[in-house]
Amino acid sequence: MSVRRIALRTPKIVAEIDGGVGWITLNQPERRNAVSLEMWEGLGDVAEAFEADADVRVVVIRGAGGRSFAAGADISEFEQRRADATQKRAYAEIAARGQRGLAELSKPLLAQVQGFCVGGGLALALSADVRFATPASRFGITAAKLGLGYEYAGVAALARLVGPSAAKDILFSARLLDADEALRIGLVNFIVDDAQLEAEVRAYAQRVAANAPLTVHAAKAALRVFERYTANPEGAAGIDRLVDGCFDSDDYREGRRAFLAKRPPLFQGH
């Protein structure tokens, strides 16, 4: 069966179907695949396309270039597109469509992680059902170093996967975890040497694709209900207000300026 390319509005997301497997490639290697708004739009489009395509049994998301899965959101856009809570909401609507499209796929989603998987990149990996990493992979959420708020959905997904204690460490310290620690706390399922990674992921994806689609679909749906049965929309609304406060803060403005100037930020707590 030949590889079929899906036409998208951006070259920064590449979508292909090969033997029942849908491949999503984050294609901005010159910026370590940092996810731009244009890429979030593309992710929403490809998630819809793969969900509707009966030929796709399983989906894999990966980063181009071999050095980074995704090094967070594209911070270079923040000054123009995400500078305060109002802009953040407009940005979040577009990003949420991409994030939601992946998180709500009825088909299994695998993450093939090489190099850095940080911030928004980790949020993408958390949308996956099974995560593969290499010994050199690094994971983290560095929002506390920039002064921005990390959305409730991402925090909840992290805590469900690794537990509240490990999630607090990751979020409070903003440190990067190596692959061995990520495996130990359940953040990844498998560690595979770089040279064998794609072959291992392909073999695993083909194994899933060969199984009964209705059984796999039912299992994923049941597990999604199990994972989310403690959701509290009222509590989440309170978190949204705190996150908005981060985006409107002087600290967030200082975090952006410091990032662009390549200097340590000086946070004041307001």
Side-chain angles (χ1 to χ4, degrees), residues 247-269:
F247 277 94
D248 281 337
S249 70
D250 291 336
D251 275 356
Y252 178 43
R253 285 184 281 275
E254 163 63 10
R256 297 198 310 273
R257 287 192 294 263
F259 174 83
L260 294 172
K262 294 181 169 48
R263 62 169 175 79
L266 297 173
F267 295 131
Q268 302 298 321

Side-chain angles (χ1 to χ4, degrees), residues 107-126:
K107 303 164 185 185
L109 176 62
L110 316 180
Q112 177 179 310
V113 178
Q114 288 178 285
F116 290 98
C117 181
V118 180
L122 183 54
L124 284 176
L126 290 172

Side-chain angles (χ1 to χ4, degrees), residues 24 85 140 192:
I24 302 172
V192 182

Side-chain angles (χ1 to χ4, degrees), residues 54-95:
D55 290 339
V56 176
R57 298 283 187 87
V58 59
V59 177
V60 180
I61 185 168
R62 60 185 175 179
R67 297 178 57 196
S68 183
F69 174 75
D74 192 341
I75 298 174
S76 67
E77 294 188 323
F78 283 13
E79 199 65 34
Q80 289 75 38
R81 294 179 177 268
R82 208 180 181 197
D84 55 36
T86 300
Q87 286 189 347
K88 167 257 179 187
R89 281 189 285 273
Y91 183 104
E93 286 181 10
I94 295 172

Side-chain angles (χ1 to χ4, degrees), residues 149-164:
Y150 204 73
E151 305 291 346
Y152 172 77
V155 173
L158 178 66
R160 283 196 298 267
L161 188 63
V162 304

Side-chain angles (χ1 to χ4, degrees), residues 14-49:
V14 178
E16 300 169 316
I17 300 172
D18 182 8
V21 181
W23 291 85
I24 302 172
T25 304
L26 307 171
N27 190 33
Q28 192 172 210
E30 70 279 5
R31 297 194 62 80
R32 296 193 299 182
N33 299 319
V35 186
S36 65
L37 199 60
E38 176 185 339
M39 293 167 72
W40 282 120
E41 289 181 305
L43 287 169
D45 291 342
V46 72
E48 284 185 4

